[in-house]
Amino acid sequence: MCEVVKKEVMKLLHAGIIYPVPHSEWVSPVQVILKKGGMTVVENEKNELIPQRTVTGWRMCIDYLTTQTVSVANG
């Protein structure tokens, strides 16, 4: 999973979307979750057809809750 985060961060750095910051209260933690693809149907022990999601890889998600708690509301 570390490679997934490193790859995504490098992609965002090269695109100019993010930039390095040594320390800031605005930094948000990231989570890596399974990226779900389509559906497939498999049989269980009782010969019933059960739909299941296929996993196609990993997705990096940014948790903005920390940033929202230190920001000031517009209003």
Side-chain angles (χ1 to χ4, degrees), residues 1-49:
M1 279 193 283
C2 185
E3 288 79 26
V4 173
V5 174
K6 188 180 288 186
K7 179 180 158 190
E8 289 297 316
V9 168
M10 294 306 291
K11 188 168 46 172
L12 294 171
L13 277 169
H14 290 298
I17 297 172
I18 62 172
Y19 55 90
V21 177
H23 176 72
S24 173
E25 63 184 13
W26 302 100
V27 174
S28 297
V30 296
Q31 303 288 326
V32 180
I33 61 170
L34 292 174
K35 184 188 288 186
K36 296 178 182 172
M39 296 288 285
T40 186
V41 178
V42 295
E43 280 189 16
N44 65 5
E45 312 83 43
K46 300 176 186 175
N47 293 329
E48 300 170 328
L49 297 177

Side-chain angles (χ1 to χ4, degrees), residues 42-62:
V42 295
E43 280 189 16
N44 65 5
E45 312 83 43
K46 300 176 186 175
N47 293 329
E48 300 170 328
L49 297 177
I50 307 294
Q52 287 187 338
R53 286 198 174 270
T54 57
V55 175
T56 60
W58 296 95
R59 174 180 291 146
M60 185 180 82
C61 298
I62 301 172

Side-chain angles (χ1 to χ4, degrees), residues 24-30 62-73:
S24 173
E25 63 184 13
W26 302 100
V27 174
S28 297
V30 296
I62 301 172
D63 182 6
Y64 290 109
L65 184 61
T66 306
T67 305
Q68 291 173 349
T69 57
V70 296
S71 64
V72 178

